[in-house]
Amino acid sequence: MCCFSGPVRDVANTKIFARATAHERQLLAYQMTFSTATDLAMILPLPVPEGTADGALRFIDLEGYPEFFDQLKSGFPEPPSRSVSNGPLGRTAAAAPLPVEQVGSFEASFVPSAQDFARLDPRFRMPDGVWRRLPQYRSFGFAVFKLKKDAHTVHPMAFEFPRVPGGKLFFPTVHIHDGTVHATAWFDHSLYCQAKGHPAALEGWRESPQPAGLFADVKRAQGLLDKDGHCYFKRLTGTLENRDTLI
C-alpha cells in the first residue's frame, strides 16, 4: 500500500499500475480510498539510483482521467460461468527546501533520499526513527502527495521515476499507517502492469484479451500506457507479508 505521515482511519481499494520505459525508468500510477481526521502526506518509497537529483521524477496529472483504473479493469472481463479468485538519519539538512508541484488536486514533492526529508515541510514527514527501522529504504527516493482530511476517493496519482539499472518492475505495497512497521498487513490491492518479455515473472497474473488501446484512453493516460501492449492483472487480498511487490 503506502506510508502515511500521520494516523488514518481507513485505507481501501488500492490500485497500482506499473510499466518500465526506456533508459531505466518506470511509470507508476496509484489510487485509493482513504479517511483521515487531519491533513497528512502519503509517501511512496521508490528504488532510485544513488545520487538521484531533485528533479529526476516527473509527475503526471491525471485529474482529467479519474476513470483510468476503471478502464483498466474493463480490460479483464470475468470468465463465463465462474468467478476469478485469485526522520533525519544523521546527515545535515540541505539548505534548499524541496520543490512542491501542483499535480491535479494534489501538492506533490519528490524526496531524493530518506535524509532529504529534513528539507520537507515537517507536517508531511514520517515520525522520527521510521526509516531507521526500514534499512531497505536507506537508498530509496520518495514520492510525497499531500492529502486533505476527511474521506476521499482521490484521482490517480502518477509519475515516472529513474530506477536502479537492471531493477525489477516495482509496486510500492508496504504498509506504514501508524508510524510502526508490522510484519504482516491487510491487503486490498488490484495490481496492473504492462511487462513485455517476462512470462515466468507474470505467472499467476491474468492477461487482458486485447491490447490496452482497445479498452483504455491512451491519449488521456499521457504516456502511461503502451497502446499495443496487453495488460496484466493480479489481486492481493487478506493478511499478507508486509513487503513491496516486484516482478
Side-chain angles (χ1 to χ4, degrees), residues 168 193 195-207 232 234 246-247:
K168 297 182 179 181
C193 73
K196 294 180 180 178
H198 300 285
L202 290 165
E203 184 177 353
W205 292 65
R206 288 180 60 194
E207 182 178 359
Y232 295 84
K234 185 175 185 177
L246 301 132
I247 60 170

Side-chain angles (χ1 to χ4, degrees), residues 11-243:
V11 182
N13 196 24
T14 301
K15 293 163 277 194
I16 308 174
F17 170 81
R19 181 170 76 88
T21 58
H23 310 298
E24 298 291 356
R25 294 180 68 85
Q26 180 184 317
L27 294 157
L28 193 136
Y30 194 104
Q31 189 177 34
M32 66 191 171
T33 300
F34 73 96
S35 177
T36 174
T38 60
D39 293 355
L40 45 69
M42 186 193 76
I43 301 165
L44 299 176
L46 305 170
V48 300
E50 187 175 355
T52 295
D54 290 1
L57 183 145
R58 177 177 65 90
F59 288 105
I60 300 169
D61 183 357
L62 290 185
E63 187 174 23
Y65 194 10
E67 69 274 29
F68 173 74
F69 281 106
D70 293 332
Q71 291 196 347
L72 288 188
K73 183 179 180 180
S74 74
F76 296 86
E78 295 296 331
S81 73
R82 72 179 182 91
S83 61
V84 177
S85 59
N86 297 333
L89 301 179
R91 194 177 83 179
T92 302
L98 289 167
V100 176
E101 297 183 39
Q102 192 69 39
V103 186
S105 61
F106 304 109
E107 285 184 287
S109 296
F110 173 56
V111 182
S113 71
Q115 293 95 327
D116 289 304
F117 271 99
R119 301 164 57 197
L120 192 66
D121 186 320
R123 295 174 300 158
F124 303 114
R125 301 176 194 170
M126 293 294 288
D128 289 344
V130 168
W131 301 123
R132 296 182 192 278
R133 298 194 296 273
L134 288 167
Q136 66 269 37
Y137 295 130
R138 186 173 294 276
S139 62
F140 274 43
F142 304 84
V144 178
F145 293 87
K146 296 161 188 180
L147 308 178
K148 298 295 185 181
K149 65 181 180 181
D150 300 323
H152 298 278
T153 298
V154 296
H155 71 72
M157 313 167 199
F159 49 88
E160 182 183 33
F161 65 94
R163 62 178 186 168
V164 175
K168 297 182 179 181
L169 200 61
F170 177 82
F171 296 83
T173 50
V174 74
H175 299 52
I176 306 174
H177 293 177
D178 54 8
T180 304
V181 183
H182 300 282
T184 61
W186 177 262
F187 281 71
D188 179 20
H189 288 56
S190 296
L191 304 185
Y192 298 89
C193 73
Q194 289 185 297
K196 294 180 180 178
H198 300 285
L202 290 165
E203 184 177 353
W205 292 65
R206 288 180 60 194
E207 182 178 359
S208 63
Q210 298 176 312
L214 295 181
F215 56 84
D217 190 331
V218 173
K219 183 176 180 180
R220 281 199 293 159
Q222 301 179 63
L224 282 168
L225 296 170
D226 172 5
K227 69 181 180 65
D228 298 318
H230 288 226
C231 289
Y232 295 84
F233 166 74
K234 185 175 185 177
R235 277 285 292 162
L236 296 179
T237 184
T239 301
L240 302 173
E241 182 182 354
N242 190 15
R243 61 180 180 84

